Amino acid sequence: MPEAPKKFLNPTEDYNLQDKNNKILHFIEEVTKNPDEVQKRVLAEILTRNAHVEYLQRHGLNGHTDRDTFKKMMPVIKYEDIQSDINRIANGDTSQILCSKPISEFLTSSGTSGGERKLMPTIEEELDRRSLLYSLLMPVMSQYVPGLDKGKGMYFLFIKSEAKTPGGLVARPVLTSYYKSSHFKQRPYDPYTNYTSPNETILCPDSYQSMYSQLLCGLCQNKEVLRVGAVFASGFIRAIRFLEKHWTLLCKDIASGTLNPQITDPSVREAVMKILKPDPKLASFIEAECGKASWHGIITRLWPNTKYVDVIVTGTMSQYIPTLEYYSNGLPQVCTMYASSECYFGVNLNPLCKPSEVSYTLIPTMGYFELLPVQRNNGINSNPLSVPKSLNEKEQQQLVDLADAKLGQEYELVVTTYAGLYRYRVGDVLRVASFKNKAPQFNFICRKNVVLSIDSDKTDEVELQNAVKNAVTHLVPFDATVTEYTSFADTTTIPGHYVLFWELSLNGTTPIPPSVFEDCCFTAEESLNSVYRQGRASDKSIGPLEIKIVEAGTFDKLMDYAISLGASINQYKTPRCVKFAPIVELLSTRVVSSYFSPKCPKWVPGHKQWCSID
Ligand code: AMP
């Protein structure tokens, strides 16, 4: 992920990069030497300034700012526990409900509640905190890869549509908020925020024009590019697919130095024309490379000075590692940071490590962090069922502070933020991998309850079950039922797509026409949450859902296989999602027919009942 200006360092006229990097590294040293002290101070600061807010008073905190009282009085919560407070703010109540500072906007999380994006309150100053985290990334990176100030970063960055709450607050994803902020748009000169994409191309709301112009600018400056990336691996792979589809047009524009008329946004045209110059030699070079049968190593071929690919490949994104390896000819895949709409959490201090070994150091100034110990069964996440479980008193007492994290233990992250979340369960499971000074460094293990994910969508088992339940109603007239099902996130297609494997019981005599199964696919998609539907309908980051009908007896074979691997016969339950390659293979070889959703599900920006801005 790209990094922000180092505003807080007060750069002097005389730009001294090494000096600035050292200051940042010193900051990291300092805050990790005594995370407990920092955390105590952060909590006291949050509680002091919010002492009079309704939420803290409701729970009887009574102005206390110490950890013990905070832990005794305040419940550990999930989104649903504060939904009514959030709704009041969304509906225009400006009283100090969660935070003493005015809520500047809502950040729409890719986590959903009731099928809609969760709304995270934020305040103006959080932008400084996010910028601070970004500013740590390149000084860390430059310890391992020198000379990154001598060229550019080619990052594919996009904004998403935003909506207004009934009370008039903007609601949009955190990165859209950041790219539209002056922190990003008016960043002062910094060799590390020197991107091939002009701001106008990133801020273009039309996703085709944005991607086209960013690729064009990246290609025009191909020799200068030292690092490439996107936020998530899925986004970067989508850019490669876009190049596969559009390289002839891109080469035409490069050869002639003119921009084709499909790019209509005047500010994008103006910005691109400052970079685009007729370059027939470059165009034929790109044409020759893209025209080759194999796209193996296309990144290093077109951008020969690239040192690494900067994308998140931890968590569900790990499914893209092999594809990225193929296109980038094995360049290091670098995960620099761990962040969310609720709070930006931490950075990877060893960025050239293998993706499987990535650990994030939570920066203790970002918020107040607590850790809820998580037990998992037999090494496989006890995951699935998404019961919104609230904690009893004993469980609440099990939460530990950052400084008390134990090596090897897994925890769910609980955060208290400057913007008004108190002891909020983020839903991510982390494992302590090591320590930086006294600060724990965490492997990202998983997000609780997620069974399927292609891009930023997160589908849990209950949502999947509901989608299947709605979809099978189309089979009723044919006296057919689904006896067993499971699902699979198929990332061999670009973009990836959800696959449902269905085993049927057919009692009727009329054959089921393909259109009925297609209706099943579409109904399933319509039943999934808003982030999924946005990915399908607006971002085109998820492909059409597929139903694969498997022959009778397939799920018995699946059970036999699981038992042969050591599963208990008595406790065996059909997994609702499969990932393990031999199991996917077992299912795939028994497919008798398959069907795709014929159209995109409906999606509107914002919650259903709000009006959209663009
Ligand atoms: P959002 O709620 O849309 O802001 O997404 C935040 C969530 O994305 C986090 O809570 C994680 O589940 C996931 N996430 C963010 N950064 C990373 C990372 N570096 N590795 C794995 N998952 C991540």
Side-chain angles (χ1 to χ4, degrees):
M1 209 185 251
E3 63 302 326
K6 301 156 183 70
K7 256 177 110 176
F8 71 108
L9 282 179
N10 261 336
T12 54
E13 295 283 275
D14 180 14
Y15 196 92
N16 185 335
L17 190 67
Q18 195 51 51
D19 198 36
K20 286 176 102 186
N21 287 353
N22 288 343
K23 275 185 186 151
I24 296 270
L25 296 174
H26 179 73
F27 167 81
I28 296 173
E29 279 298 321
E30 286 304 302
V31 294
T32 52
K33 265 188 203 154
N34 206 340
D36 205 41
E37 273 308 304
V38 179
Q39 285 279 277
K40 215 154 103 189
R41 180 174 58 69
V42 166
L43 181 66
E45 203 179 342
I46 293 173
L47 297 181
T48 305
R49 52 154 98 162
N50 294 319
H52 301 293
V53 306
E54 191 182 317
Y55 183 79
L56 293 185
Q57 294 203 331
R58 193 187 303 156
H59 289 286
L61 197 61
N62 221 359
H64 288 280
T65 60
D66 62 292
R67 258 198 300 218
D68 288 348
T69 318
F70 177 71
K71 285 175 187 260
K72 208 163 94 205
M73 305 303 292
M74 300 304 295
V76 178
I77 59 154
K78 285 182 151 327
Y79 184 75
E80 289 69 23
D81 297 309
I82 48 166
Q83 188 142 30
S84 55
D85 292 309
I86 298 280
N87 288 346
R88 279 172 60 200
I89 301 170
N91 287 328
D93 188 336
T94 54
S95 59
Q96 298 181 354
I97 300 171
L98 296 173
C99 184
S100 62
K101 299 235 163 112
I103 302 299
S104 51
E105 59 183 311
F106 279 117
L107 303 177
T108 54
S109 158
S110 57
T112 55
S113 173
E116 296 287 351
R117 285 175 179 270
K118 290 176 184 165
L119 298 173
M120 296 302 163
T122 193
I123 54 177
E124 201 60 43
E125 69 172 49
E126 279 291 285
L127 273 166
D128 295 331
R129 232 163 254 119
R130 282 176 217 128
S131 295
L132 182 137
L133 199 87
Y134 284 131
S135 75
L136 310 182
L137 307 181
M138 289 309 288
V140 170
M141 197 68 218
S142 64
Q143 292 175 289
Y144 301 90
V145 185
L148 291 171
D149 54 318
K150 305 287 187 297
K152 294 191 178 188
M154 179 178 71
Y155 285 89
F156 300 107
L157 307 175
F158 302 93
I159 56 162
K160 292 195 182 189
S161 53
E162 48 194 56
K164 257 196 182 160
T165 70
L169 282 173
V170 174
R172 55 191 176 187
V174 61
L175 291 173
T176 301
S177 160
Y178 181 69
Y179 300 147
K180 287 189 167 183
S181 74
S182 58
H183 288 64
F184 182 77
K185 286 198 293 191
Q186 277 128 41
R187 57 190 187 272
Y189 172 78
D190 178 334
Y192 291 146
T193 58
N194 197 356
Y195 304 129
T196 53
S197 299
N199 289 354
E200 293 79 357
T201 62
I202 295 170
L203 295 168
C204 173
D206 180 287
S207 60
Y208 173 88
Q209 294 188 48
S210 177
M211 180 73 97
Y212 186 92
S213 54
Q214 294 195 51
L215 259 172
L216 185 62
C217 294
L219 287 167
C220 288
Q221 304 170 76
N222 72 326
K223 294 270 169 54
E224 292 171 64
V225 171
L226 300 183
R227 52 201 167 108
V228 299
V231 179
F232 289 113
S234 53
F236 190 75
I237 288 169
R238 256 197 339 276
I240 299 174
R241 167 46 56 94
F242 189 98
L243 179 64
E244 269 184 88
K245 272 198 195 155
H246 300 286
W247 58 266
T248 25
L249 188 57
L250 286 157
C251 288
K252 239 168 109 184
D253 284 354
I254 294 170
S256 64
T258 57
L259 194 49
N260 73 78
Q262 282 178 45
I263 307 303
T264 53
D265 186 316
S267 61
V268 172
R269 290 191 72 88
E270 195 187 326
V272 172
M273 287 317 292
K274 285 185 192 147
I275 294 168
L276 185 63
K277 300 280 170 298
D279 193 343
K281 213 168 130 208
L282 177 63
S284 15
F285 163 74
I286 299 168
E287 231 157 31
E289 290 303 332
C290 293
K292 288 183 183 157
S294 164
W295 270 46
H296 183 232
I298 194 72
I299 297 299
T300 40
R301 287 198 263 142
L302 293 180
W303 293 278
N305 299 319
T306 309
K307 307 272 191 295
Y308 63 92
V309 184
D310 185 349
V311 283
I312 291 176
V313 284
T314 40
T316 57
M317 288 294 148
S318 61
Q319 58 196 344
Y320 295 104
I321 292 173
T323 313
L324 274 177
E325 249 163 26
Y326 176 82
Y327 286 126
S328 70
N329 204 12
L331 280 180
Q333 297 174 20
V334 170
C335 298
T336 55
M337 63 182 281
Y338 167 45
S340 78
S341 318
E342 292 89 335
C343 182
Y344 275 27
F345 302 121
V347 296
N348 177 2
L349 296 179
N350 186 16
L352 289 187
C353 71
K354 282 195 267 181
S356 57
E357 286 164 11
V358 169
S359 69
Y360 299 102
T361 306
L362 300 199
I363 299 298
T365 54
M366 298 302 292
Y368 173 62
F369 303 117
E370 292 175 273
L371 303 164
L372 172 64
V374 177
Q375 304 304 338
R376 287 197 298 162
N377 304 330
N378 59 32
I380 302 162
N381 189 342
S382 57
N383 225 355
L385 265 180
S386 103
V387 189
K389 184 174 169 287
S390 41
L391 299 186
N392 61 34
E393 216 162 279
K394 187 161 162 257
E395 286 166 320
Q396 300 217 13
Q397 281 162 11
Q398 291 172 0
L399 266 71
V400 300
D401 280 311
L402 208 50
D404 298 324
K406 298 271 174 298
L407 189 67
Q409 171 69 50
E410 290 183 3
Y411 299 98
E412 182 184 339
L413 183 60
V414 175
V415 70
T416 296
T417 69
Y418 284 87
L421 297 176
Y422 305 91
R423 310 194 90 189
Y424 180 89
R425 293 172 71 178
V426 174
D428 291 341
V429 177
L430 313 174
R431 179 173 47 219
V432 182
S434 47
F435 289 85
K436 162 73 182 172
N437 294 324
K438 283 186 177 160
Q441 303 184 291
F442 296 95
N443 299 135
F444 182 93
I445 301 299
C446 64
R447 179 148 180 127
K448 277 182 4 190
N449 302 327
V450 172
V451 286
L452 288 170
S453 172
I454 292 291
D455 191 34
S456 55
D457 53 303
K458 299 169 171 65
T459 296
D460 69 31
E461 193 170 334
V462 172
E463 290 169 324
L464 176 65
Q465 167 73 30
N466 186 43
V468 171
K469 186 188 93 201
N470 293 342
V472 298
T473 55
H474 294 288
L475 302 181
V476 174
F478 299 89
D479 211 4
T481 51
V482 172
T483 50
E484 275 295 7
Y485 76 91
T486 191
S487 66
F488 171 59
D490 186 348
T491 53
T492 57
T493 58
I494 306 175
H497 68 286
Y498 288 11
V499 175
L500 304 179
F501 289 99
W502 281 7
E503 188 170 322
L504 300 179
S505 154
L506 300 160
N507 302 313
T509 47
T510 328
I512 306 172
S515 64
V516 170
F517 286 116
E518 287 174 4
D519 290 345
C520 294
C521 294
F522 180 68
T523 301
E525 292 202 298
E526 285 268 282
S527 310
L528 290 169
N529 69 45
S530 145
V531 179
Y532 175 86
R533 286 180 285 109
Q534 180 175 5
R536 277 281 288 129
S538 173
D539 307 345
K540 311 282 185 218
S541 58
I542 306 173
L545 181 143
E546 183 181 11
I547 291 178
K548 292 187 185 214
I549 307 298
V550 293
E551 61 194 40
T554 299
F555 279 83
D556 282 343
K557 291 270 181 330
L558 185 71
M559 178 171 74
D560 293 345
Y561 184 69
I563 289 164
S564 77
L565 292 181
S568 139
I569 301 185
N570 296 329
Q571 289 170 351
Y572 177 79
K573 280 205 295 281
T574 304
R576 289 305 174 214
C577 175
V578 294
K579 292 188 179 78
F580 188 45
I583 292 194
V584 178
E585 176 69 13
L586 185 156
L587 291 163
S588 301
T589 52
R590 288 170 174 77
V591 171
V592 290
S593 57
S594 74
Y595 310 91
F596 286 94
S597 183
K599 55 187 177 194
C600 288
K602 274 193 284 304
W603 172 80
V604 286
H607 288 195
K608 279 175 233 127
Q609 62 276 28
W610 307 347
C611 53
S612 76
I613 301 180
D614 48 38

